[in-house]
Amino acid sequence: MEKLIITAAICGAEVTKENNPAVPYTVEEIGKEAEAAYKAGASIIHLHVREDDGTPTQSKERFKACMDEIKRRCPDVIVQPSTGGAVGMSDEERLQPTELMPEMATLDCGTLNFGGDEIFVNTETTIKNFATIMKERNIKPEIEVFDKGMVDAAIKYHKQGFIEGPLHFNFVLGVAMSATARDLSYMVDSIPEDATWTVAGIGRHEFPMAAIAIAMGGNVRVGFEDNVYIEKGKMANSNAELVEKVVRIANELGREIATPDETRKILSIKK
Ligand code: KMH
Ligand code: ZN
C-alpha cells in the first residue's frame, strides 16, 4: 500500500468561532494552525481564507498573505487553495487564488444543495472553465465530488480533454450523499484504475470514513472545515489534534504517513 496522504482542511468558509473558538481567521491564526497540522502529519493544507472578522473571502491578496505565512512556517507543505470559496461567490472571485500558481487547487464537479436555501453552483461551463485555467497554470486539480454523478461528470470532462489525468478525487461524504462503507466503496469502484482518492467525512462521519479509507489504501482529509469535534460531544482544540487522531489510527493499522514530497510523487504533481 502507498503511504497515507493526510489533508488538513483547517478553516473552511462556513464554520465559525461560534462552532469552535479554535477556528482560525487571521493570517497568523491560519499560519499557526497549518504549521501544527503539518507537524502532526498533514502533507496538504486545503485552504480557505477569511477577513479578520471571519468573513470568507477569495481575495488574491489575502490568499497570498496566508500562503506566504504557511510557507514561511513549513516551506515544503503543499498548499491547496479552494476554488469553491463560499456559496454565492462569482466564478471570477473563486478563481483568484489560481493566479498565485499553487501546486494544487480544488475543482468542484457539480452543483448541490448546501443546506437550507443555499445552493453551491457549479455549471458545466464553470467546471470546464476552471479546469482549463488550472491546466494552463499547471495546477493539479483535486476533484471535489459530493455524489456519484459528479464522479461521472469529472470522468467525462477528463475524456473531453478538460481535466488531465491521473485524476485525484476527494469524496465528500455526509453532505449530499450518506457516508457509509458501502457509499465509499461505490465511489472508489467508480473511478479510473490509475486515479487516486481521499475521503472527507463530514461531521460525525469524519473518523469512521478515515478509518475505512486507511484500511482500503485511500487517503484522508480532516479539519475544522468538515468537523470540529475530536470525539462525541468534545470539541477539538486544534486541527492538529484531528490529524494526530488519524495518525494514531494509521499507526494501529500499519499505514505509514506520506511526507509532502512523497505526496507529490503519489499524486503526480509536476511543479
Ligand atoms: N465552501 C463550499 C461552498 C471547495 O473547497 O472547493 C465549497 C467548498 C469546496 O468548500
Ligand atoms: Zn473547501
Side-chain angles (χ1 to χ4, degrees):
M1 250 183 222
E2 289 277 19
K3 290 188 180 178
L4 174 68
I5 300 168
I6 303 175
T7 299
I10 59 173
C11 151
E14 286 80 22
V15 68
T16 67
K17 284 188 190 290
E18 279 78 59
N19 302 120
N20 183 325
V23 172
Y25 292 167
T26 67
V27 174
E28 201 195 349
E29 286 170 351
I30 284 178
K32 276 189 182 159
E33 278 298 301
E35 183 181 13
Y38 160 76
K39 285 185 172 156
S43 54
I44 301 176
I45 303 297
H46 169 68
L47 190 64
H48 290 252
V49 299
R50 309 290 189 93
E51 304 294 354
D52 285 351
D53 67 1
T55 308
T57 174
Q58 288 290 101
S59 145
K60 182 179 161 184
E61 290 68 35
R62 190 66 169 190
F63 260 100
K64 181 165 179 350
C66 290
M67 287 166 73
D68 287 352
E69 180 64 12
I70 293 171
K71 286 286 184 180
R72 187 181 71 74
R73 290 169 178 269
C74 25
D76 68 330
V77 79
I78 299 165
V79 181
Q80 178 201 83
S82 168
T83 67
V87 168
M89 288 178 172
S90 69
D91 288 5
E92 291 67 32
E93 265 178 292
R94 287 169 52 184
L95 278 166
Q96 289 180 81
T98 66
E99 291 172 31
L100 301 168
M101 305 294 185
E103 291 179 274
M104 293 185 88
T106 57
L107 176 63
D108 293 273
C109 273
T111 295
L112 75 147
N113 284 337
F114 223 70
D117 293 328
E118 306 264 90
I119 304 174
F120 181 34
V121 178
N122 292 284
T123 65
E124 189 164 298
T125 307
T126 293
I127 300 164
K128 287 179 175 174
N129 181 33
F130 279 38
T132 303
I133 287 169
M134 286 188 209
K135 200 166 142 185
E136 282 166 5
R137 296 180 180 166
N138 200 20
I139 300 167
K140 172 90 184 182
E142 178 176 276
I143 300 165
E144 308 296 306
V145 290
F146 295 75
D147 67 33
K148 161 70 163 56
M150 295 191 195
V151 174
D152 300 337
I155 293 170
K156 184 173 80 181
Y157 305 141
H158 167 55
K159 287 187 178 151
Q160 291 172 346
F162 291 98
I163 311 176
E164 255 175 56
L167 303 179
H168 176 59
F169 289 89
N170 178 27
F171 305 130
V172 187
L173 298 183
V175 181
M177 201 165 151
S178 54
T180 65
R182 191 179 71 146
D183 293 318
L184 181 56
S185 62
Y186 180 43
M187 298 295 257
V188 174
D189 283 348
S190 305
I191 63 176
E193 282 271 305
D194 66 345
T196 49
W197 62 273
T198 191
V199 68
I202 302 303
R204 67 193 161 85
H205 303 295
E206 184 161 85
F207 292 110
M209 285 296 104
I212 297 167
I214 293 166
M216 286 174 79
N219 303 291
V220 171
R221 177 174 118 170
V222 291
F224 287 155
E225 177 167 346
D226 304 333
N227 163 53
V228 295
Y229 294 98
I230 190 69
E231 59 187 60
K232 192 172 179 195
K234 191 175 167 204
M235 296 249 177
N237 292 314
S238 64
N239 283 282
E241 210 182 347
L242 301 170
V243 174
E244 282 161 9
K245 184 160 171 172
V246 173
V247 171
R248 284 201 299 278
I249 300 169
N251 286 341
E252 288 296 330
L253 296 177
R255 212 56 211 277
E256 286 180 79
I257 310 301
T259 64
D261 275 344
E262 288 165 343
T263 296
R264 288 180 178 92
K265 261 203 198 119
I266 296 166
L267 300 185
S268 310
I269 294 175
K270 286 188 221 129
K271 272 190 182 156

